[in-house]
């Protein structure tokens, strides 16, 4: 009988990392590893790190140190770092954090089982050597789909997502609960949890060159997944009980440009919405400068596609945006939101903003306040600028005093909290469709309306005497708000009028 090997995956950062963790889980389970939830119960704790901003990097280091502590009084024998921080810093991270028994990059994902076994046996696997992943794919997007030998998490089992040669067959006799049943090009995947919502990668990497962002350097250039692969994975997730799919990538508005059709998303969304069992499709990570009328039409007018706009504005003062190497201004952004709401008045909109960018004047900051005051956003994330290694902005002059950045951060955060609470109040009396996420002892039935993405945009507390399980879709009337959260009373369940029978 094979020796029992246990592994726990600890995931930090964004939804893209969650997808990567489920790919790693699929690969490990297919090779006989037993997945456990608690790192203290695992032979190996794998920490999927985030490398985006300083606070996220600190959280990743803390998670690695916490897992390392388990080696003194638990089952854990090894701690391994993967993910963006491991990819970005590699050997540097290994030297600075000797508590990690291994630092693995994206190139190691296809052989993750062998890597962990080597480390568990006391062997040494050379720490990942970072490289600029933008240089691994051709400059021309049209030439990328035929590129072999490049590891792209979330794309394929083999070395390359779009390799021209025939992909390797999926392992036969996969354990229950592991994808793909949909074809050899789909990545192995196993769900980590039973939430009725799951993320699906549309693409990896980014071709934009925002001066404050290091992500393209360690995630690489933009490359789309094929529509058939996205559809196949969505069907598999539906079979696992998933009701809501969230499409993720570094830039969903670019989807299809390397496949010869920049409007491919407009074609794909109705097909995804037609997948049996799926109740809602949500698209995240949209670039304002790349929005187009046809995409707005599909997002606002397709049944089961949430009229939800996660728009990466970052700022609204023209001079700051140009320094960020971005496009737009307050009036153009407000016009975009007006176009969206003309199509769907209840559409949800959220964004993130950076304050204290090098050279940001009081007038620039006031312009940002003007935009936020008129934008009627449902959720707002605010971050104070800090230098990121390897970015253009790190070398800019005219850096603001940290005290000024902190003051503007606090000021805009207060304004954002006030305005998003007002926006929630505007929804009183609206009829919303709420996907039940969980049943909470204190709050009761907790779900999300179409304008609320998981973990970022607030929740809807459902008032009902019915017993509703996670995954049920209810129609409800908003009767109160608490900050960004809503309180709603049930009108119908899964399309049937509200009654005791409906909740069973």
């Amino acid at each position: 009988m094979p020796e029992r090997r246990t592994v726990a995956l600890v995931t930090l950062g964004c939804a893209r990392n969650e997808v990567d963790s489920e790919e790693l889980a699929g690969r490990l389970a297919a090779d006989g590893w037993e997945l456990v939830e608690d790192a203290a119960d695992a032979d190996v704790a794998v920490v999927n790190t985030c490398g985006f901003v300083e606070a996220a990097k600190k959280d990743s280091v803390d998670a690695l140190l916490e897992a390392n502590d388990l080696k003194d009084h638990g089952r854990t024998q090894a701690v391994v770092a993967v993910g963006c921080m491991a990819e970005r810093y590699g050997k540097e991270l290994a030297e600075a954090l000797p508590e990690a028994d291994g630092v693995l990059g994206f190139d190691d994902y296809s052989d993750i089982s062998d890597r962990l076994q080597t480390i568990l046996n006391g062997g040494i696997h050379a720490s990942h050597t970072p490289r600029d992943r933008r240089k691994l794919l051709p400059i021309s997007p049209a030439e990328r789909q035929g590129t072999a030998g490049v590891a792209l998490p979330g794309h394929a089992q083999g070395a390359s997502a779009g390799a021209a040669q025939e992909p390797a067959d999926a392992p036969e006799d996969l354990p229950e609960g592991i994808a793909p049943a949909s074809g050899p090009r789909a990545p192995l995947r196993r769900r980590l949890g039973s939430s009725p919502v799951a993320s699906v990668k549309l693409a990896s990497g980014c071709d934009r060159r925002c001066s404050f962002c290091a992500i393209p350097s360690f995630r690489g250039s933009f490359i789309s997944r094929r529509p058939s692969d996205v559809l196949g994975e969505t069907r598999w997730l539906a079979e696992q009980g998933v009701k809501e799919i969230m499409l993720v990538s570094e830039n969903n508005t670019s989807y299809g440009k390397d496949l010869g059709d920049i409007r491919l998303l407009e074609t794909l969304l109705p097909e995804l919405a037609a997948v049996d069992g799926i109740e809602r499709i949500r698209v995240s990570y949209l670039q304002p400068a790349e929005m187009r009328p046809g995409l707005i039409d599909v997002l606002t007018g397709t049944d089961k596609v949430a009229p939800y706009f996660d728009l990466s504005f970052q700022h609204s003062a023209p001079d700051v945006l140009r320094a960020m190497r971005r496009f737009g201004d307050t009036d153009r952004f407000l016009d975009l939101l007006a176009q969206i709401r003309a199509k769907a008045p209840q559409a949800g909109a959220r964004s993130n903003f950076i304050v204290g960018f090098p050279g940001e004047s009081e007038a620039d900051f006031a312009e940002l306040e003007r935009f936020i005051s008129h934008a009627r956003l449902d959720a707002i994330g605010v971050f104070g600028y800090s230098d990121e290694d390897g970015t253009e902005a790190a070398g800019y002059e005219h850096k603001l005093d940290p005290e000024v950045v902190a003051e503007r951060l606090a000021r805009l955060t207060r304004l954002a909290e006030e305005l998003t609470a007002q926006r929630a109040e505007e929804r009183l009396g609206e009829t919303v469709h709420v996907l039940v996420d969980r049943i909470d002892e204190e709050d009761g039935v907790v779900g999300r309306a179409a304008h609320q993405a998981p973990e970022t945009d607030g929740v809807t507390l459902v008032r009902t005497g019915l017993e509703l399980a996670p995954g049920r879709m209810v129609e409800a009337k908003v009767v109160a708000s608490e900050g960004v959260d809503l309180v709603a009373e049930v009108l119908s369940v899964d399309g049937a009028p509200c009654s005791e029978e409906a909740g069973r």
Side-chain angles (χ1 to χ4, degrees):
M1 184 174 180
E3 181 182 356
R4 181 173 182 252
R5 302 176 297 174
T6 56
V7 59
L9 286 138
V10 180
T11 307
L12 295 96
C14 65
R16 300 184 294 276
N17 260 15
E18 293 172 6
V19 177
D20 289 350
S21 284
E22 293 198 346
E23 178 187 346
L24 293 174
R27 291 180 181 278
L28 291 166
D31 203 43
W33 289 78
E34 180 181 341
L35 298 165
V36 297
E37 291 186 16
D38 193 337
D41 298 327
D43 296 318
V44 183
V46 177
V47 180
N48 192 348
T49 60
C50 179
F52 181 39
V53 293
E54 203 60 41
K57 287 183 279 190
K58 182 181 183 303
D59 288 344
S60 295
V61 170
D62 289 345
L64 287 163
L65 292 174
E66 183 178 340
N68 182 71
D69 289 342
L70 297 174
K71 290 192 287 187
D72 295 330
H73 48 76
R75 177 188 177 99
T76 309
Q77 300 174 53
V79 176
V80 175
V82 298
C84 291
M85 189 175 180
E87 174 66 37
R88 184 176 181 184
Y89 294 105
K91 290 181 178 180
E92 182 181 340
L93 176 62
E95 292 170 0
L97 198 69
E99 291 86 352
D101 299 286
V103 176
L104 307 180
F106 298 149
D107 294 332
D108 293 303
Y109 281 20
S110 61
D111 297 313
I112 188 66
S113 179
D114 290 343
R115 300 288 187 264
L116 297 191
Q117 189 63 61
T118 296
I119 293 168
L120 186 59
N121 291 343
I124 297 175
H125 178 71
S127 296
H128 165 67
T129 300
R131 51 182 174 167
D132 189 339
R133 298 190 74 87
R134 291 172 293 191
K135 299 178 181 179
L136 302 183
L137 292 170
I139 293 176
S140 169
E143 297 175 6
R144 292 174 189 165
Q145 287 289 326
T147 303
V150 179
L152 299 168
H155 283 253
Q157 294 175 54
S160 174
Q165 70 268 26
E166 189 68 22
D169 288 337
E172 295 182 2
D173 301 322
L174 286 174
E176 185 178 355
I178 299 180
S182 55
R185 200 166 45 228
L188 291 174
R189 181 170 181 175
R190 177 166 173 169
R191 298 214 66 208
L192 296 172
S194 57
S195 169
V197 60
S199 296
V200 173
K201 276 193 181 181
L202 269 184
S204 289
C206 185
D207 287 341
R208 301 184 72 87
R209 293 296 178 262
C210 302
S211 63
F212 56 83
C213 183
I215 289 176
S217 67
F218 56 86
R219 277 289 184 179
S221 298
F222 185 90
I223 186 165
S224 304
R225 293 182 68 194
R226 296 179 185 275
S228 58
D229 296 341
V230 178
L231 275 165
E233 189 169 341
T234 298
R235 292 189 185 103
W236 176 81
L237 287 166
E239 292 170 0
Q240 307 304 305
V242 170
K243 298 298 181 182
E244 177 178 326
I245 292 296
M246 185 163 72
L247 300 177
V248 301
S249 74
E250 280 72 23
N251 177 9
N252 281 337
T253 34
S254 281
Y255 179 68
K257 71 176 186 179
D258 52 321
L259 293 170
D261 185 0
I262 191 60
R263 295 174 177 82
L264 196 55
L265 185 55
E266 288 95 306
T267 304
L268 177 61
L269 285 171
E271 296 183 67
L272 291 170
V275 171
D276 189 35
I278 296 298
E279 296 294 333
R280 179 184 288 159
I281 302 291
R282 184 184 304 277
V283 184
S284 60
Y285 306 110
L286 300 170
Q287 288 291 340
E290 297 181 31
M291 289 299 294
R292 47 197 180 268
L295 181 55
I296 294 174
D297 288 344
V298 172
L299 288 171
T300 57
T302 306
D303 186 38
K304 295 188 178 182
V305 174
Y308 175 79
F309 293 81
D310 176 12
L311 294 159
S312 179
F313 290 122
Q314 302 298 345
H315 212 285
S316 72
D319 289 346
V320 175
L321 286 168
R322 302 305 174 269
M324 290 179 169
R325 300 212 178 278
R326 297 179 65 82
F327 307 94
D329 56 45
T330 295
D331 293 334
R332 273 187 272 187
F333 291 164
L334 290 175
D335 181 64
L336 173 60
L337 291 169
Q339 292 177 47
I340 291 167
R341 289 170 178 144
K343 301 280 186 180
Q346 290 184 228
R350 78 169 324 276
S351 192
N352 294 323
F353 300 90
I354 298 172
V355 299
F357 194 79
E360 180 190 63
S361 66
E362 276 289 350
D364 293 329
F365 183 72
E367 184 68 1
L368 177 56
E369 289 180 306
R370 181 172 82 89
F371 171 66
I372 290 179
S373 296
H374 289 85
R376 296 171 60 230
L377 299 173
D378 293 278
I380 298 172
V382 184
F383 301 89
Y385 172 81
S386 61
D387 287 338
E388 279 295 306
D389 297 335
T391 62
E392 182 182 355
Y396 282 1
E397 299 178 350
H398 309 298
K399 301 281 176 64
L400 274 63
D401 189 288
E403 292 183 0
V404 174
V405 176
E407 188 275 330
R408 291 182 183 177
L409 175 62
R411 191 164 127 198
L412 199 69
T413 298
R414 287 193 299 270
L415 179 61
E417 290 174 349
E418 177 184 339
L419 292 170
T420 52
Q422 289 177 8
R423 178 68 183 123
E425 288 180 6
E426 291 179 13
R427 293 192 179 274
L428 294 181
E430 284 187 1
T431 297
V432 293
H433 291 86
V434 180
L435 179 70
V436 177
D437 276 339
R438 67 182 190 276
I439 310 302
D440 187 88
E441 288 187 9
E442 181 177 344
D443 295 323
V445 178
V446 182
R448 292 171 296 100
H451 69 280
Q452 296 170 321
E455 300 182 3
T456 59
D457 301 339
V459 298
T460 297
L461 307 178
V462 180
R463 290 181 181 172
T464 178
L466 304 174
E467 295 182 6
L468 296 173
R472 302 298 292 273
M473 183 69 79
V474 304
E475 185 179 51
K477 181 179 180 179
V478 180
V479 297
S481 64
E482 301 173 3
V484 296
D485 297 336
L486 303 180
V487 179
E489 294 181 346
V490 173
L491 299 175
S492 67
V493 179
D494 295 337
C498 185
S499 67
E500 291 186 4
E501 288 297 321
R504 293 178 183 171

